[in-house]
Amino acid sequence: MTPPSRDALEARLHYPLGDALPPSGGAIGVAPGVKWVRMTLPFALDHINLWLLRDRLDGREGWTVVDTCIARDEAKAQWEQIFEHELDGLPVLRVIVTHMHPDHIGLAQWLCERWSTAEHDCRLWISGMDYHMARIGSRSTTGFGGDGAAAFFRANGLLDADALEKIRARAGYYPGLVPGVPAQFRRLMDGQVVDIGGHGWRCIAGYGHAPEHMALHCEALGVLISGDMVLPRISTNVSVYDVEPESDPLALFLDSLQRYLPLPHDTLVLPSHGKPFTGLHERIRQLQEHHDERLAEVMAACTERPHSAWEMIPVLFPRPLDLHQSTFALGESVAHLHRLWFQGGLQRRTGDDGVHRFQPRD
């Protein structure tokens, strides 16, 4: 039986705003005191959604920003337009970041410095794990390039010398997008309720995509800021990285999805990519089925012959990919192989060439 197409799956969701998108440098209201900002990204995933929440903090009226975009002049210019036209003359009081990936935290330091005064520090609010990983990443090559990443990719089947050299040379990838992280932060924790503008927003921790992703649910408004944990059209990237080479992030991600099931069916989901939608439970079911199908494909391929993660990419991503896309695809391939390895369905053998290959357990 042929699985439904992406368009068919998306048709099962509802987009209350239709095809409306925020203008460049502007915003659209999506709920009382909640505005949607959309900024462009210079990647295949070409945009990110950011959120403005009307707030009152320490007796001051203003706004909370949720996520920031990567550090680039174009994004700063868009933010300046938003400050002029969308804040009603009020300041940004704090910056909440859902997780440490560059498109979410890249401009956090700039925003916090831009809006801090002698009377009030515009503070970064983020999970402790993601804060520290971002600090490390902005000062090193962790997880995204350099010798460690090249060695990890080679062990998982990427043998092309030119490609490996390009990965080694990508040592400045994360610091180039996140040049700095604020020296101080306020920790977000699972279950914590943050008062934003008189409404309680409950933090929901998620794992597998980032170290400790924080989504925010406001029961009173019926809104979930889902970050990257639940996206309407694409599946969230779930990858193994060189800093934790024997991890099982897919198990963590699938378990994390269960945390959203108690939310009401009519919850308005505000994702980091795509458009605001309702149909949260349907989308969670789709994501679970998607990964079940991918795991079945991986198991079938490894049953035919042992596969490295690099050899698994065409099975999971049957379309042309450039090297940048392939590095993300490899991380996902390792994640699916590891899920079956940790479950006991596959075993990992390292060949004389130093490459890990997976085959059914004897």
Side-chain angles (χ1 to χ4, degrees), residues 349-361:
R349 298 280 179 84
T350 304
D352 293 339
D353 57 359
V355 173
H356 305 315
R357 293 182 177 86
F358 296 79
Q359 62 191 59
R361 188 171 295 278

Side-chain angles (χ1 to χ4, degrees), residues 35-310:
K35 291 186 177 185
W36 172 22
V37 173
R38 179 180 166 110
M39 291 192 180
T40 57
L41 295 172
F43 312 124
L45 186 56
D46 63 2
H47 72 278
I48 181 171
N49 299 325
L50 315 170
W51 312 99
L52 303 175
L53 309 181
R54 186 67 169 82
D55 201 2
R56 179 180 175 85
L57 181 64
D58 299 330
R60 293 177 171 84
E61 298 291 337
W63 296 85
T64 283
V65 167
V66 181
D67 289 336
T68 73
C69 198
I70 61 173
R72 64 194 303 240
D73 290 339
E74 294 87 344
K76 290 180 180 179
Q78 284 184 279
W79 272 121
E80 292 294 350
Q81 289 181 287
I82 289 162
F83 299 155
E84 182 178 356
H85 300 294
E86 298 292 346
L87 301 189
D88 303 322
L90 297 172
V92 173
L93 300 175
R94 58 182 153 189
V95 176
I96 293 177
V97 167
T98 56
H99 62 294
M100 52 79 66
H101 290 161
D103 48 336
H104 298 262
I105 199 172
L107 282 175
Q109 185 176 53
W110 176 78
L111 282 167
C112 289
E113 291 177 352
R114 169 74 170 72
W115 287 101
S116 287
T117 66
E119 294 78 27
H120 175 77
D121 286 324
C122 181
R123 185 77 71 216
L124 168 65
W125 294 51
I126 185 174
S127 72
M129 195 176 299
D130 276 66
Y131 173 77
H132 291 296
M133 286 301 295
R135 290 273 286 182
I136 292 170
S138 66
R139 301 177 180 188
S140 70
T141 63
T142 301
F144 295 93
D147 291 339
F152 173 74
F153 290 142
R154 194 200 180 287
N156 282 286
L158 175 56
L159 303 179
D160 181 83
D162 290 341
L164 290 171
E165 186 55 38
K166 289 177 181 177
I167 291 169
R168 289 189 190 95
R170 204 171 64 177
Y173 178 78
Y174 192 90
L177 303 174
V178 189
V181 176
Q184 297 175 316
F185 78 107
R186 182 81 172 261
R187 185 188 302 266
L188 296 177
M189 299 180 68
D190 185 47
Q192 176 183 353
V193 177
V194 181
D195 185 293
I196 304 176
H199 296 298
W201 292 77
R202 180 170 62 90
C203 298
I204 305 175
Y207 303 92
H209 173 67
E212 192 181 11
H213 182 292
M214 287 293 169
L216 298 165
H217 176 241
C218 181
E219 182 178 9
L221 296 176
V223 168
L224 171 70
I225 297 178
S226 65
D228 279 349
M229 288 299 293
V230 185
L231 304 174
R233 182 169 174 83
I234 60 175
S235 59
T236 300
N237 179 274
V238 179
S239 288
V240 176
Y241 294 100
D242 63 287
V243 294
E244 195 180 357
E246 279 85 34
S247 62
D248 187 11
L250 186 54
L252 297 175
F253 177 74
L254 293 173
D255 286 347
S256 294
L257 289 180
Q258 304 300 309
R259 298 171 179 234
Y260 303 106
L261 290 177
L263 273 56
H265 286 264
D266 59 352
T267 298
L268 177 63
V269 182
L270 307 182
S272 290
H273 310 284
K275 296 176 291 186
F277 71 96
T278 57
L280 174 63
H281 299 81
E282 167 64 23
R283 186 54 182 153
I284 290 172
R285 186 184 63 79
Q286 292 176 7
L287 291 169
Q288 292 169 327
E289 290 181 355
H290 165 80
H291 286 291
D292 286 344
E293 292 165 1
R294 299 293 84 76
L295 289 168
E297 292 169 352
V298 169
M299 191 70 196
C302 290
T303 300
E304 291 182 5
R305 64 173 178 83
H307 273 68
S308 69
W310 186 259

